[in-house]
Amino acid sequence: MKSSTKFWLAIFTFSPIIFLFVFFGFFFTVFFENIIELDQNHGDIPIEFIQSLFWIISLIVLAALFSLGIKIYYIVHTNNNTNNDTNKKVMWTLLLIFTGIIGSIVYFFSEIMPLKNTKNQIQID
């Protein structure tokens, strides 16, 4: 696998976590202030509240799409990998399905960014 492909896979693998931090930052700065303002307006919904709600929902949807896309790519990658036996394919598929973002990060570091082969290293006697 080319290093540029690994670079883009790293970006897509860690993007849901980055979106999560952006979401919490946005929630506690902008959206939380709009909730306080909504309480002070006695039920009148200000336009800023709807705009901030749109951005929060957009961040959640974008993080979910990135997470689902990278998960599907990794499941296809593990099942098409000729080095994996059937047990390893089933194990990785189940881990990727049930562990979410954590499973994708573990798969990235253990299968996408493997250590160099020992035949390329100099053996010390």
Side-chain angles (χ1 to χ4, degrees):
M1 186 177 290
K2 295 188 304 185
S3 62
S4 63
T5 306
K6 290 181 183 181
F7 172 76
W8 285 108
L9 283 175
I11 288 176
F12 288 126
T13 300
F14 291 103
S15 64
I17 293 175
I18 294 168
F19 285 132
L20 184 68
F21 285 125
V22 170
F23 167 76
F24 282 123
F26 188 75
F27 179 79
F28 287 116
T29 57
V30 176
F31 191 70
F32 194 66
E33 291 175 7
N34 286 332
I35 290 176
I36 293 171
E37 185 178 326
L38 181 65
D39 187 40
Q40 292 173 352
N41 286 342
H42 304 294
D44 295 333
I45 299 175
I47 192 70
E48 294 85 13
F49 178 76
I50 303 221
Q51 289 173 344
S52 62
L53 188 63
F54 169 76
W55 286 111
I56 283 183
I57 292 172
S58 298
L59 282 172
I60 292 171
V61 168
L62 197 59
L65 287 176
F66 273 95
S67 179
L68 181 65
I70 201 69
K71 188 178 294 194
I72 290 171
Y73 179 82
Y74 285 160
I75 289 172
V76 170
H77 182 266
T78 193
N79 287 316
N80 289 339
N81 192 352
T82 57
N83 296 331
N84 292 346
D85 61 346
T86 305
N87 291 334
K88 195 171 183 180
K89 289 178 183 181
V90 170
M91 178 199 69
W92 276 118
T93 302
L94 291 175
L95 280 173
L96 287 168
I97 289 172
F98 291 117
T99 57
I101 298 171
I102 303 297
S104 297
I105 292 172
V106 169
Y107 185 81
F108 176 76
F109 283 116
S110 64
E111 296 291 325
I112 301 295
M113 299 291 294
L115 297 173
K116 295 187 186 270
N117 294 335
T118 56
K119 65 181 179 181
N120 293 339
Q121 296 175 351
I122 300 172
Q123 294 181 356
I124 300 173
D125 293 324

